[in-house]
Amino acid sequence: MHLQGFCVMLALAVALPYGSSRDLMQASYTDADIFNFALNLEYLQANFYSCGAYGQPVDNTLGGPTVLGCVKGNYSDAIQGIFENCAANELDHVAYIQNALGSAAVPQPLINLTAVSTGANAALGRELCCPPFSYAANDLAGMVTAFLFEDVGVTAYNGAAPLISDKTFLSDAISIGLIEAYHAGIVRDMVFNMRNELDPYGIYLGTAIDAVSTLRGTVSAAATGAGNFADQGITIYGTENLIPSGAGSLAFARTPTEVLAIVYLGNASQPGGFFPNGVNGVIQG
């Protein structure tokens, strides 16, 4: 899917294709700018999990437009439990960052969760119909969408860490990024175990996951011309791949431009996808 995601921070990090070695370039962004960029993506993930678990968007004290496409998921008890757990974590992340930033925190931007249908169509190269693809339809759809978001969050936090000046902010960013990594590991294990299940469109979950990873990496690689694919599917040479990583088993990293290209569904300079009006704050890719 020209996709998504999730809990994101930033950094101008240029990663080698499929690798995690990178040359970091300093930018004129403050720690507050970086955390506000992350807050936008925390809003996205918090609303995704809250809507999927409860059919309710985040009760955002800072205001912002109504979330589009908020629907309760038709999930099994196991997947419902994952959504509830992740929703609690993401809501805590939103509140924590808002509190850390105080009056500097940006309000929630317009979020469109129905964009997952556009992303799914792009990833699979066909229109999924009828009905259109929805994260709320069943376990498989919910987990495909969770996979779409989680790895993006991990790569974004990893890219952000070297640019944060304040040690307390840096510690917070690392801690949040580690929680995102826990989420990503759970999601990857679940979708690996479900990979041979067919969805209502006659597509194996494993095929859908590979398509999401490929398109996500392709969009990332094209975003800056640096070729930073920074993605791996759930299998490598037929074996389970719970921990995507590059040389030295170092985690992948993405720049804000690469992250925005994914969540805007294709072009970091053209708001769209999950953020129809763009993200709020200084960092715009």
Side-chain angles (χ1 to χ4, degrees):
M1 304 174 181
H2 282 14
L3 332 222
Q4 31 295 190
F6 350 94
C7 312
V8 168
M9 297 196 66
L10 95 115
L12 293 180
V14 179
L16 297 175
Y18 295 92
S20 55
S21 299
R22 66 255 188 206
D23 296 322
L24 297 175
M25 298 182 297
Q26 290 295 330
S28 58
Y29 297 135
T30 66
D31 289 352
D33 294 336
I34 294 171
F35 265 73
N36 266 323
F37 187 75
L39 182 56
N40 282 277
L41 281 300
E42 294 291 351
Y43 285 139
L44 173 60
Q45 288 203 108
N47 278 286
F48 163 62
Y49 283 117
S50 181
C51 289
Y54 308 112
Q56 296 291 330
V58 171
D59 183 14
N60 182 26
T61 57
L62 296 184
T66 300
V67 174
L68 304 177
C70 185
V71 182
K72 186 182 185 310
N74 181 30
Y75 304 141
S76 65
D77 289 345
I79 303 304
Q80 177 70 20
I82 290 174
F83 267 69
E84 290 179 4
N85 198 325
C86 289
N89 292 158
E90 304 300 353
L91 288 166
D92 283 346
H93 290 169
V94 167
Y96 192 90
I97 295 175
Q98 287 178 337
N99 182 65
L101 290 172
S103 62
V106 295
Q108 181 171 286
L110 178 63
I111 291 171
N112 181 14
L113 294 177
T114 67
V116 70
S117 177
T118 303
N121 293 342
L124 292 163
R126 53 176 278 203
E127 182 178 1
L128 302 181
C129 183
C130 290
F133 181 87
S134 168
Y135 67 88
N138 50 52
D139 285 358
L140 301 185
M143 295 310 290
V144 166
T145 309
F147 175 81
L148 180 161
F149 289 136
E150 288 295 353
D151 282 0
V152 175
V154 175
T155 60
Y157 274 106
N158 191 36
L163 297 186
I164 298 174
S165 301
D166 185 272
K167 288 185 178 180
T168 299
F169 273 6
L170 176 59
S171 177
D172 293 344
I174 291 172
S175 295
I176 294 173
L178 288 173
I179 295 299
E180 300 305 333
Y182 283 132
H183 289 178
I186 292 168
V187 169
R188 292 177 77 89
D189 188 49
M190 289 294 294
V191 296
F192 178 81
N193 291 327
M194 300 163 69
R195 68 192 184 284
N196 293 323
E197 296 185 30
L198 280 170
D199 69 13
Y201 306 104
I203 300 169
Y204 287 106
L205 179 62
T207 300
I209 291 296
D210 286 344
V212 167
S213 176
T214 297
L215 185 54
R216 190 170 55 190
T218 301
V219 170
S220 172
T224 64
N228 183 28
F229 195 87
D231 226 293
Q232 289 173 347
I234 55 172
T235 60
I236 294 181
Y237 304 119
T239 61
E240 184 175 11
N241 181 35
L242 280 180
I243 308 169
S245 60
S249 290
L250 300 180
F252 294 122
R254 284 192 172 102
T255 71
T257 298
E258 290 159 352
V259 169
L260 287 177
I262 292 172
V263 297
Y264 286 176
L265 302 186
N267 190 329
S269 65
Q270 295 180 3
F274 296 101
F275 293 99
N277 296 334
V279 296
N280 288 331
V282 172
I283 298 173
Q284 296 292 322

